[in-house]
Amino acid sequence: MTIDLAQITADTLALSRDLIQRPSVTPKDEGCQALMIERLEAIGFTVKKLRFGDVDNFWATHGQSQPRLVFAGHTDVVPTGDVDEWTDPPFDALVKDGFLYGRGSADMKGSLAAMVTACERFVKHNPNHQGTIGFLITSDEEGPATNGTVKVVQYLQDNNIPMDWCIVGEPSSTEHPGDIIKNGRRGSLGAVMTIQGKQGHVAYPHLAKNPIHLAAPALAELSQQTWDQGNEYFPPTSFQISNIHSGTGATNVIPGKIEVVFNFRFSTESDQASLEARTNKILDQHGLDYHIEWNLSGLPFLTEPGELVKAAQHAIKKTNGISTELSTAGGTSDGRFIAPTGTQVIEIGPVNSTIHQVDECVKVTDLGEVSSIYEIMLEQLLPTKA
């Protein structure tokens, strides 16, 4: 296959700009999915629109058999913040000095455009390809993530539609497209803990119980724990306190309670039950009167090197000559909802250095490289039938 990166880049840039100019701040879609659907239907995709609550989603397929290679992504973007802090309006999708600027350019409308243009080229040259190409698109990734991918995955399971491989278009790269492949993610277990004391006057501490003083030794012990050693794919599990709140606002009042917000980012060496049990044991040893509300927002997942990873490595090497690195670092993604079905999941996308920032941008040539990587992976995994 001859790679015309200049033409691939021009086509992908044009669609990226069209998507960015639609201000789809989560959970709004603002017509992004309609644009994608129009392009996909034009090359023979069958589309099922799936709206749950206030969230637009769609499932699109080309082909009817296994294996299924699915592109997953989101059309919603995070809020812009103060637009006056942006050099240019965040939804103007301006190109300057070789970069495309705008909210969502890197996270992840550039990837969505790359997926569509890659499929347009692939289907044109391989109309009778093996297996099925799928698109699982939501507008709820940057928000609560309750009516998006998780609901579409349930729909697929209810209709006995398995996925074999999934490419999530999250911006995974650090310097060049494909230098990092996310082949897994850590789990995320959050908690809001309330520790009770007894309110009183600071001049009479013997008549009160200061919950801040009571909590401090336990919090120190929690922060110093080794929860696990990690493994060859994951760093050790981390415990981080993100907020502590107490007091009435008066300097002469011992508060009656303290609220502590904390989070575990955990590897496959730990699980929710063991982390909760060890936390409770430490708190009990300190004799605290406490209550915890736990929130599991994602389990850890891992795609070990296999067909999908090898196809990605080959595609990246052929596109830009880079030898990629596997990583499970970073936050959560919608891959956490897809991997538990048994699907091999990896994340490949543009450079992530400006995501969620003022003046978010992506290098224009990177758009073409990402699209090329996706197309070559299609060639590897779903070649034309003999």
Side-chain angles (χ1 to χ4, degrees):
M1 185 184 78
T2 302
I3 303 174
D4 184 354
L5 271 179
Q7 186 60 54
I8 294 171
T9 299
D11 293 342
T12 307
L13 171 62
L15 181 52
S16 298
R17 294 189 68 204
D18 283 346
L19 290 168
I20 293 167
Q21 287 166 354
R22 291 162 167 78
S24 53
V25 176
T26 190
K28 295 180 180 179
D29 170 69
E30 297 294 344
C32 292
Q33 292 181 23
L35 177 59
M36 294 179 67
I37 288 170
E38 180 182 2
R39 298 280 287 258
L40 292 172
E41 287 182 333
I43 57 173
F45 273 76
T46 300
V47 178
K48 176 71 173 178
K49 297 178 183 177
L50 299 165
R51 184 173 173 86
F52 301 107
D54 61 349
V55 174
D56 289 308
N57 311 279
F58 75 83
W59 167 251
T61 55
H62 191 279
Q64 297 180 333
S65 62
Q66 287 184 259
R68 289 185 179 87
L69 172 60
V70 176
F71 291 100
H74 59 91
T75 55
D76 60 320
V77 298
V78 295
T80 62
D82 186 353
V83 295
D84 291 334
E85 295 184 6
W86 288 68
T87 303
D88 298 292
F91 297 110
D92 278 8
L94 297 179
V95 177
K96 297 191 303 182
D97 301 322
F99 285 83
L100 170 61
Y101 287 85
R103 176 59 84 223
S105 55
D107 188 12
M108 57 178 289
K109 292 183 176 180
S111 294
L112 296 178
M115 293 172 183
V116 172
T117 58
C119 287
E120 288 174 334
R121 297 189 306 276
F122 176 74
V123 169
K124 178 181 178 180
H125 297 296
N126 301 274
N128 298 313
H129 60 82
Q130 296 180 24
T132 301
I133 309 169
F135 272 73
L136 194 170
I137 306 298
T138 183
S139 60
D140 186 35
E141 198 274 347
E142 299 290 10
T146 54
N147 286 314
T149 298
V150 65
K151 292 285 183 66
V152 180
V153 169
Q154 187 61 57
Y155 164 83
L156 297 178
Q157 291 183 306
D158 291 344
N159 288 275
N160 298 313
I161 304 173
M163 294 178 282
D164 297 280
W165 305 303
C166 181
I167 302 169
V168 183
E170 290 292 342
S172 59
S173 308
T174 55
E175 294 182 7
H176 306 284
D179 58 2
I180 299 290
I181 295 174
K182 303 287 188 183
N183 66 319
R185 291 283 192 169
R186 294 174 295 174
S188 177
L189 177 62
V192 178
M193 175 173 65
T194 302
I195 298 175
Q196 292 295 142
K198 182 180 179 182
Q199 186 173 303
H201 196 294
V202 295
Y204 303 95
H206 60 288
L207 298 178
K209 291 174 62 177
N210 192 321
I212 300 174
H213 295 182
L214 295 172
L219 296 179
E221 186 171 345
L222 287 168
S223 68
Q224 294 166 9
Q225 286 291 301
T226 299
W227 301 93
D228 59 47
Q229 299 295 331
N231 54 40
E232 61 178 313
Y233 296 108
F234 288 93
T237 291
S238 71
F239 168 90
Q240 292 295 319
I241 298 170
S242 57
N243 190 272
I244 296 177
H245 176 74
S246 188
T248 64
T251 60
N252 61 348
V253 178
I254 294 172
K257 64 182 179 181
I258 181 175
E259 183 179 270
V260 182
V261 181
F262 59 89
N263 179 270
F264 288 99
R265 290 300 166 102
F266 62 102
S267 75
T268 50
E269 297 297 310
S270 293
D271 57 39
Q272 179 182 4
S274 65
L275 294 173
E276 291 183 9
R278 287 182 62 184
T279 300
N280 290 336
K281 183 178 179 181
I282 290 170
L283 296 171
D284 290 341
Q285 288 173 342
H286 287 269
L288 298 177
D289 179 6
Y290 67 93
H291 171 74
I292 302 179
E293 294 183 4
W294 296 97
N295 176 41
L296 179 68
S297 58
L299 291 168
F301 70 89
L302 176 70
T303 295
E304 296 193 27
E307 290 174 305
L308 183 61
V309 170
K310 289 179 181 178
Q313 291 170 329
H314 168 77
I316 293 162
K317 191 76 171 179
K318 188 170 181 178
T319 296
N320 55 24
I322 290 174
S323 296
T324 193
E325 176 185 339
L326 299 178
S327 172
T328 60
T332 59
S333 77
D334 274 3
R336 70 190 188 273
F337 302 127
I338 300 169
T341 66
T343 307
Q344 294 182 43
V345 178
I346 60 173
E347 300 172 23
I348 305 175
V351 172
N352 57 24
S353 58
T354 64
I355 60 174
H356 293 205
Q357 295 182 17
V358 168
D359 289 344
E360 178 182 349
C361 63
V362 63
K363 194 174 182 180
V364 170
T365 54
D366 287 359
L367 295 171
E369 291 189 15
V370 173
S371 185
S372 172
I373 290 167
Y374 292 160
E375 182 184 6
I376 297 171
M377 291 185 69
L378 286 164
E379 295 274 1
Q380 286 286 111
L381 295 167
L382 301 178
T384 299
K385 299 174 184 177

mmCIF file of all heavy atoms in Angstrom, residues 301-333:
data_model
loop_
_atom_site.group_PDB
_atom_site.id
_atom_site.type_symbol
_atom_site.label_atom_id
_atom_site.label_comp_id
_atom_site.label_asym_id
_atom_site.label_seq_id
_atom_site.Cartn_x
_atom_site.Cartn_y
_atom_site.Cartn_z
ATOM 1 N N PHE A 301 -7.609 -2.669 33.329
ATOM 2 C CA PHE A 301 -7.651 -3.649 32.241
ATOM 3 C C PHE A 301 -6.304 -3.667 31.532
ATOM 4 O O PHE A 301 -5.531 -2.709 31.595
ATOM 5 C CB PHE A 301 -8.782 -3.342 31.255
ATOM 6 C CG PHE A 301 -8.582 -2.109 30.404
ATOM 7 C CD1 PHE A 301 -7.930 -2.169 29.185
ATOM 8 C CD2 PHE A 301 -9.085 -0.885 30.819
ATOM 9 C CE1 PHE A 301 -7.758 -1.036 28.404
ATOM 10 C CE2 PHE A 301 -8.927 0.258 30.035
ATOM 11 C CZ PHE A 301 -8.257 0.177 28.830
ATOM 12 N N LEU A 302 -6.046 -4.772 30.871
ATOM 13 C CA LEU A 302 -4.764 -4.959 30.194
ATOM 14 C C LEU A 302 -4.970 -5.777 28.933
ATOM 15 O O LEU A 302 -5.635 -6.811 28.959
ATOM 16 C CB LEU A 302 -3.763 -5.670 31.111
ATOM 17 C CG LEU A 302 -2.403 -6.003 30.489
ATOM 18 C CD1 LEU A 302 -1.601 -4.726 30.251
ATOM 19 C CD2 LEU A 302 -1.627 -6.962 31.383
ATOM 20 N N THR A 303 -4.422 -5.305 27.832
ATOM 21 C CA THR A 303 -4.365 -6.076 26.594
ATOM 22 C C THR A 303 -2.912 -6.473 26.383
ATOM 23 O O THR A 303 -2.067 -5.625 26.068
ATOM 24 C CB THR A 303 -4.874 -5.258 25.398
ATOM 25 O OG1 THR A 303 -6.259 -4.974 25.590
ATOM 26 C CG2 THR A 303 -4.707 -6.040 24.100
ATOM 27 N N GLU A 304 -2.616 -7.733 26.598
ATOM 28 C CA GLU A 304 -1.245 -8.199 26.432
ATOM 29 C C GLU A 304 -0.887 -8.258 24.947
ATOM 30 O O GLU A 304 -1.773 -8.338 24.093
ATOM 31 C CB GLU A 304 -1.070 -9.556 27.106
ATOM 32 C CG GLU A 304 -1.271 -9.494 28.613
ATOM 33 C CD GLU A 304 -0.796 -10.747 29.323
ATOM 34 O OE1 GLU A 304 0.112 -11.417 28.806
ATOM 35 O OE2 GLU A 304 -1.339 -11.053 30.394
ATOM 36 N N PRO A 305 0.408 -8.204 24.623
ATOM 37 C CA PRO A 305 0.814 -8.238 23.213
ATOM 38 C C PRO A 305 0.210 -9.426 22.482
ATOM 39 O O PRO A 305 0.291 -10.557 22.928
ATOM 40 C CB PRO A 305 2.337 -8.338 23.306
ATOM 41 C CG PRO A 305 2.666 -7.649 24.596
ATOM 42 C CD PRO A 305 1.547 -8.001 25.527
ATOM 43 N N GLY A 306 -0.429 -9.131 21.370
ATOM 44 C CA GLY A 306 -1.097 -10.141 20.550
ATOM 45 C C GLY A 306 -1.373 -9.550 19.188
ATOM 46 O O GLY A 306 -0.677 -8.624 18.746
ATOM 47 N N GLU A 307 -2.412 -10.026 18.517
ATOM 48 C CA GLU A 307 -2.697 -9.580 17.152
ATOM 49 C C GLU A 307 -2.904 -8.072 17.064
ATOM 50 O O GLU A 307 -2.387 -7.415 16.161
ATOM 51 C CB GLU A 307 -3.946 -10.294 16.633
ATOM 52 C CG GLU A 307 -3.769 -11.777 16.368
ATOM 53 C CD GLU A 307 -5.084 -12.437 15.998
ATOM 54 O OE1 GLU A 307 -6.037 -12.315 16.791
ATOM 55 O OE2 GLU A 307 -5.156 -13.053 14.918
ATOM 56 N N LEU A 308 -3.682 -7.511 17.998
ATOM 57 C CA LEU A 308 -4.006 -6.092 17.925
ATOM 58 C C LEU A 308 -2.770 -5.232 18.169
ATOM 59 O O LEU A 308 -2.504 -4.275 17.436
ATOM 60 C CB LEU A 308 -5.097 -5.750 18.941
ATOM 61 C CG LEU A 308 -5.603 -4.306 18.931
ATOM 62 C CD1 LEU A 308 -6.217 -3.949 17.586
ATOM 63 C CD2 LEU A 308 -6.610 -4.077 20.056
ATOM 64 N N VAL A 309 -2.025 -5.549 19.195
ATOM 65 C CA VAL A 309 -0.817 -4.779 19.502
ATOM 66 C C VAL A 309 0.203 -4.892 18.364
ATOM 67 O O VAL A 309 0.816 -3.894 17.948
ATOM 68 C CB VAL A 309 -0.203 -5.247 20.840
ATOM 69 C CG1 VAL A 309 1.178 -4.630 21.044
ATOM 70 C CG2 VAL A 309 -1.109 -4.885 22.004
ATOM 71 N N LYS A 310 0.361 -6.089 17.836
ATOM 72 C CA LYS A 310 1.318 -6.286 16.742
ATOM 73 C C LYS A 310 0.913 -5.504 15.501
ATOM 74 O O LYS A 310 1.760 -4.927 14.813
ATOM 75 C CB LYS A 310 1.440 -7.776 16.425
ATOM 76 C CG LYS A 310 2.172 -8.585 17.498
ATOM 77 C CD LYS A 310 2.235 -10.054 17.138
ATOM 78 C CE LYS A 310 2.938 -10.853 18.232
ATOM 79 N NZ LYS A 310 2.968 -12.306 17.916
ATOM 80 N N ALA A 311 -0.395 -5.479 15.216
ATOM 81 C CA ALA A 311 -0.866 -4.713 14.063
ATOM 82 C C ALA A 311 -0.582 -3.226 14.256
ATOM 83 O O ALA A 311 -0.200 -2.525 13.308
ATOM 84 C CB ALA A 311 -2.354 -4.951 13.857
ATOM 85 N N ALA A 312 -0.771 -2.738 15.478
ATOM 86 C CA ALA A 312 -0.496 -1.333 15.764
ATOM 87 C C ALA A 312 0.992 -1.029 15.621
ATOM 88 O O ALA A 312 1.376 -0.005 15.024
ATOM 89 C CB ALA A 312 -0.977 -0.991 17.170
ATOM 90 N N GLN A 313 1.820 -1.882 16.159
ATOM 91 C CA GLN A 313 3.266 -1.665 16.061
ATOM 92 C C GLN A 313 3.719 -1.642 14.604
ATOM 93 O O GLN A 313 4.528 -0.802 14.215
ATOM 94 C CB GLN A 313 3.998 -2.757 16.846
ATOM 95 C CG GLN A 313 3.805 -2.660 18.346
ATOM 96 C CD GLN A 313 4.330 -3.868 19.105
ATOM 97 O OE1 GLN A 313 4.320 -4.989 18.588
ATOM 98 N NE2 GLN A 313 4.773 -3.667 20.336
ATOM 99 N N HIS A 314 3.177 -2.548 13.807
ATOM 100 C CA HIS A 314 3.525 -2.592 12.381
ATOM 101 C C HIS A 314 3.072 -1.314 11.683
ATOM 102 O O HIS A 314 3.816 -0.721 10.883
ATOM 103 C CB HIS A 314 2.868 -3.810 11.734
ATOM 104 C CG HIS A 314 2.923 -3.798 10.229
ATOM 105 N ND1 HIS A 314 4.069 -4.118 9.524
ATOM 106 C CD2 HIS A 314 1.970 -3.481 9.294
ATOM 107 C CE1 HIS A 314 3.829 -4.009 8.222
ATOM 108 N NE2 HIS A 314 2.571 -3.626 8.061
ATOM 109 N N ALA A 315 1.844 -0.869 11.965
ATOM 110 C CA ALA A 315 1.291 0.308 11.303
ATOM 111 C C ALA A 315 2.075 1.567 11.654
ATOM 112 O O ALA A 315 2.306 2.427 10.797
ATOM 113 C CB ALA A 315 -0.173 0.464 11.682
ATOM 114 N N ILE A 316 2.448 1.688 12.896
ATOM 115 C CA ILE A 316 3.214 2.861 13.347
ATOM 116 C C ILE A 316 4.592 2.874 12.688
ATOM 117 O O ILE A 316 5.052 3.904 12.182
ATOM 118 C CB ILE A 316 3.323 2.862 14.884
ATOM 119 C CG1 ILE A 316 1.942 3.081 15.507
ATOM 120 C CG2 ILE A 316 4.304 3.931 15.362
ATOM 121 C CD1 ILE A 316 1.852 2.692 16.961
ATOM 122 N N LYS A 317 5.236 1.714 12.667
ATOM 123 C CA LYS A 317 6.566 1.612 12.060
ATOM 124 C C LYS A 317 6.511 1.957 10.574
ATOM 125 O O LYS A 317 7.374 2.683 10.059
ATOM 126 C CB LYS A 317 7.102 0.192 12.247
ATOM 127 C CG LYS A 317 8.570 0.031 11.892
ATOM 128 C CD LYS A 317 9.455 0.600 12.985
ATOM 129 C CE LYS A 317 10.919 0.257 12.746
ATOM 130 N NZ LYS A 317 11.804 0.817 13.791
ATOM 131 N N LYS A 318 5.472 1.477 9.882
ATOM 132 C CA LYS A 318 5.358 1.729 8.452
ATOM 133 C C LYS A 318 5.026 3.183 8.162
ATOM 134 O O LYS A 318 5.454 3.747 7.144
ATOM 135 C CB LYS A 318 4.280 0.817 7.854
ATOM 136 C CG LYS A 318 4.222 0.857 6.337
ATOM 137 C CD LYS A 318 3.331 -0.232 5.779
ATOM 138 C CE LYS A 318 3.320 -0.191 4.242
ATOM 139 N NZ LYS A 318 2.482 -1.274 3.666
ATOM 140 N N THR A 319 4.279 3.833 9.058
ATOM 141 C CA THR A 319 3.868 5.220 8.835
ATOM 142 C C THR A 319 4.989 6.211 9.106
ATOM 143 O O THR A 319 5.260 7.106 8.294
ATOM 144 C CB THR A 319 2.649 5.568 9.711
ATOM 145 O OG1 THR A 319 1.541 4.768 9.312
ATOM 146 C CG2 THR A 319 2.279 7.036 9.576
ATOM 147 N N ASN A 320 5.635 6.096 10.262
ATOM 148 C CA ASN A 320 6.639 7.106 10.606
ATOM 149 C C ASN A 320 7.949 6.552 11.146
ATOM 150 O O ASN A 320 8.795 7.319 11.622
ATOM 151 C CB ASN A 320 6.053 8.124 11.601
ATOM 152 C CG ASN A 320 5.496 7.471 12.848
ATOM 153 O OD1 ASN A 320 5.903 6.364 13.217
ATOM 154 N ND2 ASN A 320 4.554 8.142 13.516
ATOM 155 N N GLY A 321 8.113 5.229 11.092
ATOM 156 C CA GLY A 321 9.388 4.628 11.475
ATOM 157 C C GLY A 321 9.643 4.522 12.954
ATOM 158 O O GLY A 321 10.757 4.196 13.378
ATOM 159 N N ILE A 322 8.624 4.803 13.773
ATOM 160 C CA ILE A 322 8.802 4.804 15.227
ATOM 161 C C ILE A 322 8.604 3.400 15.805
ATOM 162 O O ILE A 322 7.691 2.681 15.405
ATOM 163 C CB ILE A 322 7.814 5.785 15.890
ATOM 164 C CG1 ILE A 322 8.201 7.225 15.564
ATOM 165 C CG2 ILE A 322 7.767 5.602 17.407
ATOM 166 C CD1 ILE A 322 7.199 8.242 16.054
ATOM 167 N N SER A 323 9.461 3.029 16.730
ATOM 168 C CA SER A 323 9.248 1.823 17.533
ATOM 169 C C SER A 323 8.484 2.230 18.776
ATOM 170 O O SER A 323 8.986 2.998 19.603
ATOM 171 C CB SER A 323 10.585 1.176 17.917
ATOM 172 O OG SER A 323 11.264 0.740 16.755
ATOM 173 N N THR A 324 7.260 1.727 18.903
ATOM 174 C CA THR A 324 6.363 2.222 19.942
ATOM 175 C C THR A 324 6.632 1.591 21.301
ATOM 176 O O THR A 324 7.287 0.554 21.409
ATOM 177 C CB THR A 324 4.896 1.970 19.530
ATOM 178 O OG1 THR A 324 4.037 2.697 20.376
ATOM 179 C CG2 THR A 324 4.559 0.490 19.609
ATOM 180 N N GLU A 325 6.107 2.228 22.324
ATOM 181 C CA GLU A 325 6.233 1.753 23.703
ATOM 182 C C GLU A 325 4.842 1.503 24.263
ATOM 183 O O GLU A 325 3.923 2.298 24.057
ATOM 184 C CB GLU A 325 6.952 2.814 24.549
ATOM 185 C CG GLU A 325 7.067 2.486 26.026
ATOM 186 C CD GLU A 325 7.681 3.632 26.825
ATOM 187 O OE1 GLU A 325 8.370 4.484 26.215
ATOM 188 O OE2 GLU A 325 7.454 3.686 28.050
ATOM 189 N N LEU A 326 4.695 0.389 24.988
ATOM 190 C CA LEU A 326 3.424 0.083 25.626
ATOM 191 C C LEU A 326 3.358 0.765 26.992
ATOM 192 O O LEU A 326 4.352 0.813 27.705
ATOM 193 C CB LEU A 326 3.246 -1.430 25.793
ATOM 194 C CG LEU A 326 3.239 -2.256 24.505
ATOM 195 C CD1 LEU A 326 3.097 -3.735 24.827
ATOM 196 C CD2 LEU A 326 2.121 -1.807 23.577
ATOM 197 N N SER A 327 2.180 1.267 27.360
ATOM 198 C CA SER A 327 2.034 1.983 28.621
ATOM 199 C C SER A 327 0.626 1.822 29.162
ATOM 200 O O SER A 327 -0.340 1.699 28.397
ATOM 201 C CB SER A 327 2.329 3.475 28.412
ATOM 202 O OG SER A 327 2.015 4.230 29.569
ATOM 203 N N THR A 328 0.517 1.818 30.491
ATOM 204 C CA THR A 328 -0.790 1.812 31.157
ATOM 205 C C THR A 328 -0.958 3.061 32.021
ATOM 206 O O THR A 328 -1.848 3.117 32.868
ATOM 207 C CB THR A 328 -0.945 0.563 32.041
ATOM 208 O OG1 THR A 328 0.082 0.558 33.046
ATOM 209 C CG2 THR A 328 -0.846 -0.704 31.218
ATOM 210 N N ALA A 329 -0.117 4.060 31.823
ATOM 211 C CA ALA A 329 -0.154 5.270 32.637
ATOM 212 C C ALA A 329 -1.324 6.158 32.238
ATOM 213 O O ALA A 329 -1.973 5.949 31.222
ATOM 214 C CB ALA A 329 1.162 6.036 32.486
ATOM 215 N N GLY A 330 -1.566 7.170 33.057
ATOM 216 C CA GLY A 330 -2.598 8.145 32.752
ATOM 217 C C GLY A 330 -3.902 7.860 33.470
ATOM 218 O O GLY A 330 -3.993 6.978 34.329
ATOM 219 N N GLY A 331 -4.915 8.625 33.090
ATOM 220 C CA GLY A 331 -6.219 8.503 33.737
ATOM 221 C C GLY A 331 -7.054 7.395 33.135
ATOM 222 O O GLY A 331 -6.540 6.483 32.485
ATOM 223 N N THR A 332 -8.357 7.492 33.335
ATOM 224 C CA THR A 332 -9.261 6.477 32.808
ATOM 225 C C THR A 332 -9.748 6.860 31.417
ATOM 226 O O THR A 332 -9.635 8.012 31.003
ATOM 227 C CB THR A 332 -10.484 6.285 33.726
ATOM 228 O OG1 THR A 332 -11.178 7.533 33.830
ATOM 229 C CG2 THR A 332 -10.063 5.823 35.099
ATOM 230 N N SER A 333 -10.273 5.900 30.697
ATOM 231 C CA SER A 333 -10.903 6.149 29.402
ATOM 232 C C SER A 333 -12.087 5.209 29.274
ATOM 233 O O SER A 333 -12.306 4.329 30.115
ATOM 234 C CB SER A 333 -9.913 5.904 28.256
ATOM 235 O OG SER A 333 -9.751 4.511 28.031
#
